[in-house]
Amino acid sequence: MPRSTAIRRLTGIALAATAVTGLTLTTAGTASAATHKNGNVESGEFGLYYNSNYAGCVFDLLNEDGNFADNRFISSTSSQTCPGQGQITNDNTASYWNRDVTAWDVYTDAGRKGIHGYVPLNYYGNASATYKNEISSSYPF
């Protein structure tokens, strides 16, 4: 194979590798754009709302939380208050929104105990009678 053909092929491979690396870094940067527990349900998060119909303050998660007893609902802005602000999240959730890329498991007791529920990705709704004001822990599936 002539030298110029080999150089062109190697250059093409190097450019393709650089493009793939850049795409990977760009994708990773986008996924980490969500801010955990800031009162705003962003893409990539699982959010629990104090009131039904996605109203009131929010508890938003990027990662599992095995015990909601030490968490509180917060407002998405420091200048505004919302129903439930400062209330403990444990056994206090009326609706939810799963904006994560995976399903989430919820439990009525801490540490994956109690009644188990499943929230599919991109699902939002009011908690059923079994889970309304009963959710105590959650884990990405």
Side-chain angles (χ1 to χ4, degrees), residues 34-123:
T35 305
H36 187 59
K37 298 181 181 179
N38 69 347
N40 210 4
V41 184
E42 299 162 298
S43 179
E45 292 184 326
F46 178 60
L48 302 143
Y49 291 84
Y50 181 74
N51 285 335
S52 297
N53 302 316
Y54 335 107
C57 287
V58 176
F59 174 59
D60 55 308
L61 295 164
L62 275 171
N63 304 308
E64 69 181 53
D65 194 319
N67 188 351
F68 290 172
D70 60 348
N71 296 291
R72 297 188 180 276
F73 288 100
I74 62 170
S75 173
S76 61
T77 64
S78 60
S79 63
Q80 293 180 333
T81 60
C82 52
Q85 186 164 351
Q87 296 294 314
I88 294 175
T89 308
N90 190 56
D91 293 339
N92 233 350
T93 297
S95 59
Y96 40 78
W97 184 12
N98 184 1
R99 292 196 65 196
D100 201 349
V101 295
T102 187
W104 278 70
D105 291 323
V106 294
Y107 295 85
T108 57
D109 291 325
R112 294 183 194 246
K113 295 189 172 133
I115 300 170
H116 169 250
Y118 171 83
V119 181
L121 62 125
N122 295 318
Y123 184 81

Side-chain angles (χ1 to χ4, degrees), residues 2-27:
R3 181 179 168 112
S4 62
T5 303
I7 290 173
R8 278 191 304 222
R9 284 188 180 166
L10 287 174
T11 301
I13 291 170
L15 287 172
T18 302
V20 168
T21 302
L23 179 62
T24 302
L25 292 174
T26 300
T27 303

